[in-house]
Amino acid sequence: MAAPDDADERVLITADSLRDGSLIAAARLRAGGEAGGLLSDAEIEASLDAMLANHPPGEDVWLFGYGSLMWNPAMHFAESKPGTVLGWHRSYCLWAHMGRGTPEAPGLMLALDRGGSSVGLLFRFPAATARAELLLPWRREMFTAAYTARWVRVDTDTGPLRAATFVANRAHKRYAGRLTEAVIAAHLAVAKGSLGTCVEYLEQTLAVLRAHGRTDHRLERLDRLVLRASVGALG
């Protein structure tokens, strides 16, 4: 998520701040001149309604998370379990000028990009409460327009599931494309903002995957490179 750019004031993403709109309101205020590029509340809700219009009425909805949604869901769900999305891979392909970076020292955020596969966590929402609860991650991830919501296939130990998720918007100005691991690690090692550091984000993502007996070899390599970059910066 791209949140306010203020490295001196720690912002916490909670279900309450998403539900009452205070988190996004603060982000729009702090974005200043760039606030015009953020989606309105009505546009965010329209995006969610368009997704749910392509979902069978009365059926529970699954959401696939692959980054901070795994370790800070900030939403109420009935069930969660690991799964592997097909046709999309987890990639540090979005620049972060707010939240976990600044315009002067941008960080990088994870998104799903085309090709490959990615392990993550699935969250199930009962049909009766699905829209109300999905509005929270929708507000969190969609308000910058750097992500696009779509349905994907996710393989699980009990069979394939159809789930909503957030993929990189390749047309967005924050889309970084395919960067070398050295460049990614150099940015992750030093970037920080109001949500915390990019190092923290990486470590917590890896911790959740490990806790569920899963791994991401790209992230593991980046973790080692970031450690070297951090040591080099201290030296």
Side-chain angles (χ1 to χ4, degrees):
M1 172 187 174
D5 174 16
D6 186 350
D8 297 324
E9 181 183 348
R10 186 62 181 262
V11 173
L12 298 177
I13 299 174
T14 67
D16 287 341
S17 64
L18 288 166
R19 198 177 304 279
D20 66 21
S22 60
L23 183 71
I24 294 180
R28 292 188 179 115
L29 181 63
R30 298 188 189 192
E34 295 188 6
L38 305 180
L39 296 186
S40 67
D41 293 342
E43 288 172 322
I44 293 170
E45 294 201 36
S47 168
L48 174 56
D49 289 337
M51 281 289 287
L52 293 179
N54 291 314
H55 184 73
E59 288 191 10
D60 292 357
V61 183
W62 291 89
L63 178 70
F64 180 78
Y66 51 87
S68 62
L69 283 176
M70 295 194 298
W71 42 267
N72 180 24
M75 56 191 176
H76 299 295
F77 52 90
E79 176 187 1
S80 70
K81 61 181 177 180
T84 302
V85 66
L86 305 177
W88 301 88
H89 69 281
R90 181 175 17 235
S91 173
Y92 273 108
C93 61
L94 290 178
W95 290 112
H97 301 117
M98 301 187 295
R100 295 186 187 273
T102 67
E104 298 75 24
L108 284 159
M109 300 304 294
L110 289 172
L112 292 181
D113 211 350
R114 298 172 188 165
S117 62
S118 179
V119 294
L121 286 185
L122 282 157
F123 301 92
R124 181 173 63 82
F125 301 90
T129 59
R131 187 189 184 280
E133 290 304 322
L134 284 169
L135 184 56
L136 306 188
W138 239 257
R139 286 175 171 168
R140 172 178 178 168
E141 306 295 344
M142 293 292 287
F143 86 106
T144 67
Y147 293 94
T148 298
R150 66 173 297 139
W151 294 103
V152 294
R153 168 180 163 166
V154 185
D155 280 356
T156 74
D157 292 340
T158 55
L161 291 169
R162 183 175 183 256
T165 195
F166 306 104
V167 306
N169 177 2
R170 288 189 163 196
H172 198 274
K173 63 182 180 181
R174 283 178 51 208
Y175 180 67
R178 181 172 294 183
L179 302 172
T180 67
E181 290 185 344
V183 169
I184 295 171
H187 283 276
L188 298 185
V190 299
K192 61 181 180 179
S194 61
L195 292 178
T197 68
C198 282
V199 171
E200 175 187 55
Y201 182 100
L202 172 60
E203 293 293 344
Q204 290 182 305
T205 301
L206 281 171
V208 172
L209 292 174
R210 292 165 182 160
H212 285 84
R214 303 300 200 270
T215 190
D216 184 312
H217 297 297
R218 296 186 189 92
L219 292 191
E220 296 286 358
R221 286 196 304 271
L222 281 171
D223 192 39
R224 294 190 291 270
L225 288 172
V226 167
L227 177 60
R228 294 174 195 165
S230 299
V231 171
L234 291 174

Coordinates of all heavy atoms in Angstrom, one line a residue, residues 49-91:
D49 N -17.3 -3.4 -6.8 CA -18.6 -3.8 -7.3 C -18.5 -4.5 -8.7 O -19.2 -5.5 -9.0 CB -19.6 -2.7 -7.4 CG -20.0 -2.2 -6.0 OD1 -20.0 -3.0 -5.0 OD2 -20.5 -1.0 -5.9
A50 N -17.6 -3.9 -9.5 CA -17.3 -4.6 -10.8 C -16.8 -6.0 -10.7 O -17.1 -6.9 -11.4 CB -16.4 -3.7 -11.6
M51 N -15.9 -6.1 -9.7 CA -15.3 -7.5 -9.5 C -16.4 -8.4 -9.0 O -16.5 -9.6 -9.5 CB -14.2 -7.4 -8.4 CG -12.9 -6.9 -9.0 SD -12.0 -8.1 -10.0 CE -11.5 -9.3 -8.8
L52 N -17.2 -8.0 -8.0 CA -18.2 -8.9 -7.4 C -19.3 -9.2 -8.4 O -20.0 -10.2 -8.3 CB -18.7 -8.3 -6.2 CG -17.7 -8.2 -5.0 CD1 -18.4 -7.5 -3.8 CD2 -17.2 -9.6 -4.6
A53 N -19.5 -8.3 -9.4 CA -20.5 -8.6 -10.4 C -20.1 -9.8 -11.3 O -21.0 -10.4 -11.9 CB -20.6 -7.4 -11.4
N54 N -18.8 -10.2 -11.3 CA -18.4 -11.4 -12.0 C -18.2 -12.6 -11.1 O -17.4 -13.5 -11.4 CB -17.0 -11.1 -12.7 CG -17.2 -10.1 -13.8 OD1 -18.1 -10.2 -14.6 ND2 -16.4 -9.1 -13.9
H55 N -18.8 -12.5 -9.9 CA -18.8 -13.6 -8.9 C -20.2 -14.1 -8.7 O -21.1 -13.4 -8.6 CB -18.2 -13.1 -7.6 CG -17.9 -14.2 -6.6 ND1 -16.9 -15.1 -6.7 CD2 -18.6 -14.5 -5.5 CE1 -17.0 -15.9 -5.7 NE2 -18.0 -15.6 -4.9
P56 N -20.3 -15.5 -8.6 CA -21.6 -16.1 -8.4 C -22.3 -15.5 -7.1 O -21.7 -15.6 -6.1 CB -21.4 -17.6 -8.3 CG -20.1 -17.8 -9.1 CD -19.3 -16.5 -8.8
P57 N -23.5 -15.0 -7.2 CA -24.2 -14.5 -6.0 C -24.4 -15.6 -5.0 O -24.7 -16.7 -5.3 CB -25.6 -14.0 -6.6 CG -25.3 -13.9 -8.1 CD -24.3 -14.9 -8.5
G58 N -24.2 -15.2 -3.7 CA -24.4 -16.1 -2.6 C -23.3 -17.0 -2.3 O -23.3 -17.8 -1.4
E59 N -22.2 -16.9 -3.1 CA -21.0 -17.8 -2.8 C -20.0 -17.0 -2.0 O -19.8 -15.8 -2.2 CB -20.4 -18.3 -4.1 CG -21.2 -19.3 -4.8 CD -20.4 -20.0 -6.0 OE1 -19.2 -19.7 -6.1 OE2 -21.0 -20.7 -6.7
D60 N -19.2 -17.7 -1.2 CA -18.1 -17.0 -0.4 C -17.1 -16.5 -1.4 O -17.0 -17.0 -2.5 CB -17.5 -18.0 0.5 CG -18.4 -18.4 1.7 OD1 -19.6 -17.8 1.7 OD2 -18.1 -19.2 2.5
V61 N -16.3 -15.6 -1.0 CA -15.3 -15.0 -1.8 C -13.9 -15.2 -1.2 O -13.7 -15.0 0.0 CB -15.5 -13.5 -2.0 CG1 -14.5 -12.9 -2.9 CG2 -16.9 -13.2 -2.5
W62 N -12.9 -15.6 -2.0 CA -11.6 -15.8 -1.6 C -10.7 -14.6 -2.1 O -10.9 -14.1 -3.2 CB -11.0 -17.1 -2.1 CG -11.6 -18.3 -1.5 CD1 -12.6 -19.0 -1.9 CD2 -11.1 -19.0 -0.3 NE1 -12.9 -20.1 -1.1 CE2 -11.9 -20.1 -0.1 CE3 -10.0 -18.8 0.5 CZ2 -11.7 -21.0 0.9 CZ3 -9.8 -19.7 1.6 CH2 -10.7 -20.8 1.8
L63 N -9.8 -14.2 -1.2 CA -8.8 -13.1 -1.6 C -7.4 -13.7 -1.4 O -7.1 -14.3 -0.4 CB -9.0 -11.9 -0.7 CG -8.0 -10.7 -0.9 CD1 -8.3 -10.1 -2.3 CD2 -8.1 -9.7 0.2
F64 N -6.5 -13.5 -2.4 CA -5.2 -14.0 -2.4 C -4.2 -12.8 -2.0 O -4.2 -11.8 -2.6 CB -4.7 -14.5 -3.7 CG -3.3 -15.1 -3.7 CD1 -3.0 -16.3 -3.2 CD2 -2.3 -14.3 -4.3 CE1 -1.7 -16.8 -3.2 CE2 -1.0 -14.8 -4.4 CZ -0.7 -16.0 -3.8
G65 N -3.5 -13.0 -0.9 CA -2.5 -12.0 -0.4 C -1.1 -12.6 -0.5 O -0.9 -13.8 -0.3
Y66 N -0.2 -11.7 -0.8 CA 1.2 -12.2 -1.1 C 2.3 -11.3 -0.4 O 3.4 -11.5 -0.5 CB 1.5 -12.2 -2.6 CG 1.1 -11.0 -3.3 CD1 2.0 -9.9 -3.5 CD2 -0.2 -10.8 -3.9 CE1 1.6 -8.7 -4.1 CE2 -0.6 -9.7 -4.5 CZ 0.3 -8.6 -4.6 OH -0.1 -7.5 -5.3
G67 N 1.8 -10.2 0.2 CA 2.8 -9.2 0.9 C 2.2 -8.9 2.3 O 2.0 -9.8 3.1
S68 N 2.0 -7.6 2.5 CA 1.6 -7.2 3.9 C 0.2 -7.7 4.3 O -0.1 -7.8 5.4 CB 1.7 -5.7 4.0 OG 0.8 -5.1 3.1
L69 N -0.6 -8.1 3.3 CA -1.9 -8.7 3.7 C -1.7 -10.0 4.4 O -2.6 -10.4 5.2 CB -2.8 -8.9 2.4 CG -3.4 -7.7 1.8 CD1 -4.2 -8.2 0.5 CD2 -4.4 -7.1 2.7
M70 N -0.6 -10.7 4.2 CA -0.4 -11.9 4.9 C -0.1 -11.7 6.4 O -0.5 -12.5 7.2 CB 0.8 -12.7 4.2 CG 0.5 -13.2 2.8 SD 1.7 -14.4 2.3 CE 3.3 -13.4 2.4
W71 N 0.7 -10.7 6.7 CA 1.1 -10.5 8.1 C 0.4 -9.4 8.8 O 0.5 -9.2 10.0 CB 2.6 -10.3 8.2 CG 3.3 -9.5 7.2 CD1 3.9 -9.9 6.0 CD2 3.5 -8.0 7.3 NE1 4.4 -8.8 5.4 CE2 4.2 -7.7 6.1 CE3 3.2 -7.1 8.2 CZ2 4.6 -6.4 5.9 CZ3 3.6 -5.8 7.9 CH2 4.3 -5.4 6.8
N72 N -0.4 -8.6 8.1 CA -1.3 -7.6 8.7 C -2.5 -7.5 7.9 O -2.8 -6.5 7.2 CB -0.6 -6.2 8.8 CG -1.5 -5.2 9.4 OD1 -2.4 -5.5 10.2 ND2 -1.2 -3.9 9.1
P73 N -3.4 -8.5 8.0 CA -4.6 -8.5 7.1 C -5.5 -7.3 7.3 O -6.1 -6.8 6.4 CB -5.3 -9.8 7.5 CG -4.3 -10.7 8.2 CD -3.3 -9.7 8.8
A74 N -5.7 -6.9 8.6 CA -6.6 -5.7 8.9 C -7.9 -5.9 8.3 O -8.5 -4.9 7.7 CB -5.9 -4.4 8.4
M75 N -8.5 -7.1 8.4 CA -9.9 -7.4 7.9 C -10.3 -8.6 8.6 O -9.5 -9.4 9.1 CB -9.8 -7.6 6.4 CG -8.9 -8.6 5.9 SD -8.6 -8.7 4.1 CE -7.3 -10.0 4.0
H76 N -11.6 -8.8 8.6 CA -12.2 -10.0 9.3 C -12.5 -11.0 8.2 O -13.2 -10.8 7.3 CB -13.5 -9.6 10.1 CG -13.2 -8.6 11.2 ND1 -12.5 -8.9 12.3 CD2 -13.6 -7.3 11.3 CE1 -12.4 -7.8 13.0 NE2 -13.1 -6.8 12.5
F77 N -12.0 -12.2 8.4 CA -12.2 -13.3 7.5 C -12.5 -14.6 8.2 O -12.3 -14.7 9.4 CB -11.0 -13.5 6.6 CG -9.7 -13.7 7.4 CD1 -9.2 -14.9 7.8 CD2 -8.9 -12.6 7.7 CE1 -8.1 -15.1 8.5 CE2 -7.7 -12.7 8.4 CZ -7.3 -13.9 8.8
A78 N -13.1 -15.5 7.5 CA -13.6 -16.8 8.2 C -12.5 -17.9 8.2 O -12.6 -18.8 9.0 CB -14.8 -17.3 7.4
E79 N -11.6 -17.8 7.2 CA -10.6 -18.9 7.1 C -9.4 -18.4 6.3 O -9.6 -17.5 5.4 CB -11.3 -20.0 6.4 CG -10.4 -21.2 6.0 CD -11.1 -22.3 5.2 OE1 -12.3 -22.0 4.8 OE2 -10.4 -23.3 4.8
S80 N -8.3 -18.9 6.6 CA -7.1 -18.6 5.7 C -6.3 -19.9 5.5 O -6.3 -20.8 6.4 CB -6.2 -17.5 6.4 OG -5.6 -18.0 7.5
K81 N -5.6 -20.0 4.4 CA -4.8 -21.1 4.1 C -3.8 -20.8 3.0 O -4.1 -19.9 2.2 CB -5.6 -22.3 3.8 CG -6.5 -22.2 2.5 CD -7.3 -23.5 2.3 CE -8.2 -23.4 1.1 NZ -9.0 -24.7 0.9
P82 N -2.7 -21.5 2.9 CA -1.7 -21.2 1.9 C -2.2 -21.6 0.5 O -3.0 -22.6 0.4 CB -0.4 -21.9 2.3 CG -0.9 -23.0 3.2 CD -2.2 -22.5 3.9
G83 N -1.7 -21.0 -0.5 CA -2.0 -21.4 -1.9 C -1.0 -20.8 -2.9 O -0.1 -20.0 -2.5
T84 N -1.0 -21.3 -4.1 CA -0.1 -20.9 -5.1 C -0.8 -20.3 -6.3 O -1.6 -21.1 -6.9 CB 0.8 -22.0 -5.6 OG1 1.5 -22.6 -4.5 CG2 1.8 -21.6 -6.6
V85 N -0.6 -19.1 -6.6 CA -1.3 -18.5 -7.8 C -0.5 -18.8 -9.0 O 0.7 -18.8 -9.0 CB -1.4 -16.9 -7.6 CG1 -0.1 -16.2 -7.6 CG2 -2.3 -16.3 -8.7
L86 N -1.3 -19.1 -10.1 CA -0.6 -19.5 -11.3 C -0.7 -18.4 -12.4 O -1.7 -17.7 -12.5 CB -1.3 -20.8 -11.9 CG -1.3 -22.0 -10.9 CD1 -2.1 -23.2 -11.5 CD2 0.1 -22.4 -10.6
G87 N 0.4 -18.2 -13.1 CA 0.4 -17.2 -14.2 C 0.9 -15.8 -13.7 O 1.0 -14.9 -14.5
W88 N 1.2 -15.7 -12.4 CA 1.7 -14.5 -11.8 C 2.8 -14.7 -10.8 O 2.7 -15.7 -10.0 CB 0.5 -13.7 -11.1 CG -0.6 -13.4 -12.1 CD1 -1.7 -14.2 -12.4 CD2 -0.8 -12.2 -12.8 NE1 -2.5 -13.6 -13.3 CE2 -2.0 -12.3 -13.6 CE3 0.0 -11.0 -13.0 CZ2 -2.4 -11.4 -14.4 CZ3 -0.5 -10.0 -13.8 CH2 -1.7 -10.2 -14.5
H89 N 3.8 -13.9 -10.8 CA 4.9 -14.0 -9.8 C 5.0 -12.8 -9.0 O 4.7 -11.7 -9.4 CB 6.2 -14.3 -10.5 CG 6.8 -13.2 -11.3 ND1 6.3 -12.9 -12.6 CD2 7.7 -12.3 -11.0 CE1 7.0 -11.8 -13.0 NE2 7.8 -11.4 -12.1
R90 N 5.4 -13.0 -7.7 CA 5.6 -11.8 -6.8 C 6.9 -11.1 -7.2 O 8.0 -11.7 -7.4 CB 5.8 -12.4 -5.4 CG 6.0 -11.4 -4.3 CD 6.0 -12.0 -2.9 NE 6.2 -13.4 -2.9 CZ 5.4 -14.3 -2.3 NH1 4.3 -13.8 -1.7 NH2 5.7 -15.5 -2.3
S91 N 6.8 -9.8 -7.3 CA 7.9 -9.0 -7.9 C 8.0 -7.6 -7.2 O 6.9 -7.0 -7.0 CB 7.7 -8.8 -9.4 OG 8.7 -7.9 -9.9

